[in-house]
Amino acid sequence: SPEKEMETTSKRSTISFYPWLGPINHNSCFISAGFDSGLGDPLGNCCVTSECYGVMTHHLMSVCKGKVILALEGGYNLTTVSEGIRACTSVLLGDHPDPIDPENAAPSLDGMESIQTAGENIAPFLG
């Protein structure tokens, strides 16, 4: 079904962003929500869509027992910031995230290397 395909794609893309969160039993998560990684932001130069922000929030809520705090800390394109905030807030309020286009779900190889390095560096502090 399209719903199952979206869920599989969403989980795959989110898990690739947060490989070190899975085995940890979090009571809550405080997230510094910088939307400068969003598509169209002039400084971040990344391509994270509002749908992806929503899916990441959805999966963080499952890892963090539904207790997620998002603190806005960045973003320099008002459209990108507002769309990202809308997607995250909608999920925090209980809505299902908007589907991610499967063609845009895979992170870049450079991005994956950076994520892997960050995960390895912070892993000792998470357990």
Side-chain angles (χ1 to χ4, degrees):
S1 77
E3 292 83 16
K4 181 69 174 168
E5 182 179 328
M6 187 277 297
E7 186 67 19
T8 301
T9 301
S10 299
K11 282 184 179 176
R12 188 175 342 116
S13 62
T14 304
I15 287 168
S16 67
F17 282 108
Y18 296 103
W20 56 89
L21 287 178
I24 300 167
N25 186 18
H26 299 284
N27 290 321
S28 62
C29 295
F30 186 91
I31 307 299
S32 177
F35 293 97
D36 48 345
S37 59
L39 182 66
D41 188 272
L43 294 181
N45 234 5
C46 297
C47 298
V48 178
T49 64
S50 60
E51 294 85 4
C52 189
Y53 285 123
V55 169
M56 288 190 286
T57 302
H58 175 77
H59 291 296
L60 282 169
M61 289 181 68
S62 68
V63 171
C64 302
K65 300 179 183 173
K67 299 176 183 173
V68 175
I69 298 167
L70 298 177
L72 178 60
E73 61 82 22
Y76 304 94
N77 178 309
L78 293 181
T79 301
T80 301
V81 171
S82 62
E83 289 174 357
I85 290 170
R86 184 220 41 89
C88 293
T89 303
S90 175
V91 170
L92 290 173
L93 293 172
D95 294 335
H96 203 280
D98 294 332
I100 295 176
D101 178 358
E103 291 187 22
N104 296 323
S108 70
L109 292 177
D110 287 342
M112 287 302 300
E113 286 180 18
S114 295
I115 291 164
Q116 182 66 33
T117 300
E120 290 169 359
N121 286 316
I122 66 170
F125 303 101
L126 296 176

